[in-house]
Amino acid sequence: MTADVAALADAVLAARESARPMPLPSARQPGLTLHDAYAVAEALRRHRIARGERVVGWKIGFTNRTIWDRYGVHAPIWGPVWDTTLTLLDGTAATLPLAGLVQPRLEPEIVFGFARSPEPGMDEAALVGCLEWVAHGVEVVHTHCEGWRFTAADTVADGALHGRLLVGPRVPAAAWPRLAADLAATTMTLACDGRVVDRGVGANVLGGPLAALALWLAAMVRDTPDWRVEPGHVVTTGTLTDAWPLAPGQRWTTQPGDARLPGLDLAIAP
């Protein structure tokens, strides 16, 4: 690890612990590359493991091509999901505290649970064969970069923007014969305090959540070969809508268009 990467990791840790914005990593280190940023992310991963947290899966970000221009990021990024950030819901309702999050936003997503480790280059049937379940979930993303303005490298260094992941009822993948096509066609309606604010569809996510998963597996083995999907891991595949700012006291509801995936009802803690 270079001294610059170590210093960036320290800066991100300080911002995380204080729950405050920080200067852009790319401003601290002009010319910051994605390779550098993943080195920062690996330093952060090791730090969190050393203090007792466990990696329980992965998030893929910026898979929704309809919002790339809005955020200035034009390719997927990824990072760990932790035992301290993942909640597998017993039902469809939850209260969500925002403590420790900076500029949080909500993203409705499709989440996969793995029974076996997948390999890059698997065909669709083999990839589905690695899955234990599929579910609808919401990721709460946040950033220590002011105003949600950043480069792709900044987002990777900033923990891939991951804050929380809440996963709704899980549906066995084996009971879903047209999984790829059905998820690509699944619509999503997002409402706040009873008012619809956005709609999306699974195809927004690089052609569909299963397609996004396959593309990501190839990218991960190329760019972060030490990061692997293990049995029991979850992977969330990116937002079907835009990401929407959260505030205390709000009530958010999601409604997937496929009846096999229940919608969620989230109360933001005051």
Side-chain angles (χ1 to χ4, degrees), residues 29-165:
Q29 184 177 327
L32 184 73
T33 66
L34 279 171
H35 178 79
D36 297 329
Y38 280 113
V40 174
E42 172 60 12
L44 295 172
R45 187 183 73 91
R46 280 186 268 154
H47 172 85
R48 295 182 71 165
I49 290 172
R51 73 179 190 184
E53 292 182 88
R54 274 190 312 114
V55 174
V56 293
W58 307 92
K59 64 83 48 91
I60 320 173
F62 293 107
T63 53
N64 187 330
R65 290 172 289 198
T66 71
I67 61 175
W68 281 358
D69 288 345
R70 187 168 307 168
Y71 294 98
V73 176
H74 295 86
I77 56 101
W78 55 90
V81 171
W82 301 89
D83 61 334
T84 53
T85 64
L86 173 66
T87 301
L88 298 177
L89 298 174
D90 292 329
T92 59
T95 297
L96 175 64
L98 299 181
L101 300 175
V102 181
Q103 307 173 97
R105 298 188 177 195
L106 187 73
E107 298 184 342
E109 310 201 0
I110 299 298
V111 188
F112 295 117
F114 282 81
R116 288 171 288 282
S117 296
E119 296 295 335
M122 278 183 163
D123 63 22
E124 181 181 296
L127 187 54
V128 171
C130 293
L131 300 177
E132 180 178 359
W133 50 259
V134 58
H136 162 50
V138 294
E139 185 182 17
V140 180
V141 289
H142 73 142
T143 180
H144 300 95
C145 304
E146 285 277 16
W148 281 79
R149 302 297 180 193
F150 35 55
T151 67
D154 290 322
T155 69
V156 170
D158 193 19
L161 310 185
H162 177 65
R164 306 272 191 275
L165 177 61

Side-chain angles (χ1 to χ4, degrees), residues 10-22 99-102 142 144:
D10 288 343
V12 175
L13 283 170
R16 172 181 165 78
E17 290 170 1
S18 65
R20 294 183 178 178
M22 66 179 182
L101 300 175
V102 181
H142 73 142
H144 300 95

Side-chain angles (χ1 to χ4, degrees), residues 173-227:
W176 202 316
R178 298 181 66 255
L179 184 64
D182 288 348
L183 291 180
T186 295
T187 58
M188 182 68 64
T189 302
L190 181 64
C192 179
D193 296 331
R195 181 179 66 88
V196 173
V197 298
D198 208 347
R199 290 184 172 89
V201 64
N204 286 346
V205 181
L206 296 178
L210 200 69
L213 179 66
L215 291 169
W216 167 70
L217 286 169
M220 190 166 74
V221 77
R222 181 188 67 234
D223 295 338
T224 52
D226 294 334
W227 294 4

Side-chain angles (χ1 to χ4, degrees), residues 232-246:
H233 275 185
V234 305
V235 175
T236 190
T237 53
T239 186
L240 277 60
T241 68
D242 200 352
W244 285 82
L246 295 177

